[in-house]
Structure formats: C-alpha cells, structure tokens
Amino acid sequence: MAKRSKRQDDEIHEDILELETSKRELLFATRSDPVISAAEDVVAGGNVLFKGETGNGKTIRASALRYKENYQKMLSGTALEGITVKPVSIEIDMVPILAAMELTYEKNIEGGTSSKEAAMLAEFILKHGFASKEQFLEHEQRKLNMIEKLNGEINPFIVFIDDFDRVIEVGLSNAFMKFIENHEHYFSLNGETRWLNLQCVASSNSDAGRPVSGYLASRGIDLAIANRFQIYHISRANFTDILKSEYPVRYHKFIDKIVALVLEIKGEMEEGAFAGIGEITMRQIRHCVKLVAFLKKTELSAASRLLTGISSENEERLKADMLIEGYFGENNGAKNKHNDYSIF
C-alpha cells in the first residue's frame, strides 16, 4: 500500500462550510445541516428555533444566522443563490426580564424621581422601523421583488434569543410573541409608532409543550409559540461528522473511538448509571480531541476526562475505569510516546 503524504493526512473533509458566529468561533456545517434550511427560512421572513440537548450546537447555529458573511456560502446551490443577505440583529436575554413591559422600557429612579427610557428592543425598533405603514409595505414589496428576481440586497431584522425557554415568568415568552407577530409597534412612553417586520432566531433545550427534565429554569415551549417557528432538532448523531470536519485525518480514528465511548456512556446514563456527571456534550468531546491534537496527551488520558467527575470513593469508579480502558487501554493500541497514562 502506498504511503499517505502529510498533505493527504492533513486534508480536511470536503464539502464543509466554515461559518462565523457571534463568539467568533467557526461552525463547521455540511450541506445537509439544518442551518442551511434555516437560512432559507430567514430570507423568506420566517422565525427559526433550534432545539436539542445541551452542547449539540443549537446556539452556535442560531448565532451563524446573524452574520452576513455566512449567507453567500449557505445559499450557494439553493434556489436563493444570488441574493445578498445582510441581517440587522439584536440579542435579547429573556432570563432577567421580570415583566413584559421591560421589553420596551427601563425604569430609572434618580433623586426620588422616576423616569422611563427605551429598552434595547424598543431602541432597535425605533431606530430601524418605518414611520408609516406605506413605507413599510413598499419596503416589503421591494424585498419580495428582489427574491423573485434573485437580485439585490435584503436586510432581515433579527431578534436573537439564546435559551428561549428560560424565562422568569411563563407569560413573558407569550408577551414577546406580539413583537414578531405584529408589524405595527406602538410605544406608550413616547407615543411613537414604528412599522417593522421582526424575525426571531432562537435556541431551546425544551421540546414543544414541555420542559426538559433537569433544567429547573426551563419553562418549556408553549405549543402556540412553537407554531410560530420553524423548529429544527439538533441531534447528537452528528458528533463524528462535525469533529472530523474540524481535525485532520490522522485524528479521525480517535474521534471514532471517543464518540463510540460517549454513546456507550450515554446509554449507561439512560439506565441510571453515572448520574453524578450530569451530561456529556460536544464541548467536552471536543476538549478531549484538543488534548490529543494540541497538547499531545495520550488518548486514554484525554478520554478519561469525560468521567473525572466520579470520585475514587464512588462505587461506579471501577466501572468507569474499565469502560475507558476497554476503548483506550494498552491492549487497544492507545499508548504513544508522548505521555504515560496518567489521567491528569
């Protein structure tokens, strides 16, 4: 068999899009990734909700939809290729909001005198909204014409909300919906009206109709709200493809093994074992790969980080060690010249 060249060994999986996010991290997505369909939904004027287990990449996908640099890549090869998309966006944190009115104003008290000022969402609408219904309708018609002719620049106005299901009051998320359902926005604090088509891009750990077990702050996604979104479930099944797209071929065998280990651990957790470690997410798996790729840790040492939350006094410690040893022990060729098998 011919020996592979270093260039071949370092070759990254083809057909992978590198997308920017708000944290300036790269999202590596294939053409079949839900974020591609979600980009089309945004252009068409829809609202998008990514849901699934923590660490699977919901937030990073929602974030990618805020960046103009991504749309040419995402829409390439689709029916919308040729349209220039430059979103105008704002991020709203629903967790600390106590009342629906706080979406539109903030109350300040100075020297015993109270006053009201426009909150972030109100400022966004006042700045970008149209002064009349006629101006708004003309803008929307121009947008439709550009999409039909596949020529021109459109500017979706996006409200980005991470953890949409984590709110203090159950009714708050319902109150928020009027901002993306109604195009006419009236502000009682100053008597001004603006017309704007707000779209929401959000993430949630919850399924529609119920909160997720273990997330005490989650209120769940009301079915009436869910009906206003195009919902995409982000599955853990794409762990392998994502990681292989990020790292050279020489690490792919390790990626196959560690993902297989994680799936077995998750299976044990579903049966009630290893409850003390909470969850294993993409963030933790990626960290293990980084330890091998950049710090030259042994595969066994890196994989052991997944279960370091189980104490030596715990009766499951032996089970955890045996499980990891089965995948990365010396008999499985995990040892390398850089390190011993110390967990730390």
Side-chain angles (χ1 to χ4, degrees):
M1 179 181 291
K3 185 178 180 181
R4 293 179 60 89
S5 69
K6 185 178 187 300
R7 180 174 179 179
Q8 286 176 310
D9 189 47
D10 286 342
E11 187 177 324
I12 299 298
H13 190 277
E14 295 181 2
D15 238 359
I16 299 293
L17 304 180
E18 294 185 6
L19 307 177
E20 297 287 339
T21 74
S22 58
K23 293 183 178 180
R24 291 303 174 187
E25 299 171 325
L26 285 177
L27 167 63
F28 295 88
T30 63
R31 282 287 168 194
S32 60
D33 194 286
V35 76
I36 307 299
S37 296
E40 296 175 318
D41 296 328
V42 169
V43 174
N47 306 303
V48 174
L49 178 69
F50 295 105
K51 71 177 185 68
E53 294 180 9
T54 183
N56 283 7
K58 305 180 300 297
T59 298
I60 199 170
R61 282 171 173 76
S63 174
L65 296 178
R66 301 177 65 186
Y67 281 83
K68 63 183 181 181
E69 295 85 358
N70 295 330
Y71 280 85
Q72 184 177 359
K73 299 177 183 178
M74 293 189 292
L75 299 179
S76 176
T78 74
L80 292 171
E81 184 174 6
I83 290 288
T84 299
V85 184
K86 294 185 177 180
V88 182
S89 68
I90 184 175
E91 181 173 1
I92 298 293
D93 186 357
M94 298 280 275
V95 177
I97 295 175
L98 296 174
M101 286 302 292
E102 292 184 27
L103 290 165
T104 55
Y105 74 78
E106 296 171 333
K107 189 172 183 178
N108 302 311
I109 300 179
E110 294 183 6
T113 302
S114 64
S115 62
K116 296 177 182 178
E117 295 181 0
M120 288 177 62
L121 184 59
E123 288 180 344
F124 186 78
I125 296 171
L126 287 168
K127 178 180 180 180
H128 298 289
F130 296 90
S132 70
K133 183 177 181 179
E134 290 72 25
Q135 290 176 332
F136 168 72
L137 293 176
E138 288 176 8
H139 173 267
E140 290 297 295
Q141 187 60 53
R142 286 197 301 272
K143 181 177 76 172
L144 291 175
N145 291 340
M146 286 186 286
I147 293 175
E148 183 180 11
K149 296 176 181 179
L150 296 178
N151 183 33
E153 176 184 308
I154 68 170
N155 307 105
F157 297 99
I158 293 175
V159 180
F160 171 73
I161 301 177
D162 194 17
D163 292 329
F164 187 78
D165 55 329
R166 291 170 61 86
V167 293
I168 293 176
E169 295 183 1
V170 177
L172 181 59
S173 51
N174 285 283
F176 170 77
M177 293 307 294
K178 71 178 182 180
F179 291 101
I180 63 173
E181 289 233 285
N182 302 328
H183 301 315
E184 182 179 13
H185 307 282
Y186 175 73
F187 302 96
S188 59
L189 71 154
N190 56 15
E192 294 187 70
T193 300
R194 291 290 186 275
W195 293 81
L196 192 67
N197 180 16
L198 285 176
Q199 297 171 236
C200 186
V201 172
S203 69
S204 169
N205 288 310
S206 299
D207 288 323
R210 61 185 178 87
V212 173
S213 175
Y215 288 84
L216 300 182
S218 170
R219 300 290 186 175
I221 298 294
D222 183 274
L223 288 174
I225 294 175
N227 289 336
R228 271 69 176 179
F229 284 90
Q230 178 63 48
I231 299 177
Y232 292 97
H233 180 80
I234 306 301
S235 171
R236 71 187 185 194
N238 56 8
F239 283 174
T240 303
D241 289 341
I242 292 172
L243 289 168
K244 284 186 175 181
S245 73
E246 296 178 20
Y247 291 92
V249 173
R250 63 179 177 272
Y251 300 111
H252 288 191
K253 185 176 180 181
F254 173 61
I255 290 170
D256 285 332
K257 288 198 294 182
I258 197 165
V259 171
L261 169 64
V262 167
L263 294 178
E264 184 166 349
I265 292 174
K266 283 180 175 287
E268 293 282 350
M269 293 170 72
E270 289 171 1
E271 298 295 324
F274 306 138
I277 64 173
E279 291 183 307
I280 295 179
T281 69
M282 173 63 96
R283 296 184 187 98
Q284 293 158 290
I285 304 171
R286 183 181 282 112
H287 178 67
C288 294
V289 181
K290 286 181 178 179
L291 290 175
V292 171
F294 303 132
L295 299 187
K296 306 306 178 186
K297 301 296 289 183
T298 64
E299 293 183 355
L300 178 61
S301 172
S304 296
R305 305 296 176 99
L306 295 173
L307 294 173
T308 53
I310 301 174
S311 72
S312 58
E313 291 80 20
N314 191 309
E315 60 183 12
E316 292 185 323
R317 183 67 259 173
L318 178 60
K319 181 178 182 179
D321 291 340
M322 291 179 64
L323 186 59
I324 294 173
E325 182 76 20
Y327 281 87
F328 298 103
E330 191 169 353
N331 292 333
N332 288 288
K335 191 171 184 178
N336 68 41
K337 63 182 180 182
H338 297 289
N339 293 285
D340 59 20
Y341 284 132
S342 170
I343 290 179
F344 298 105

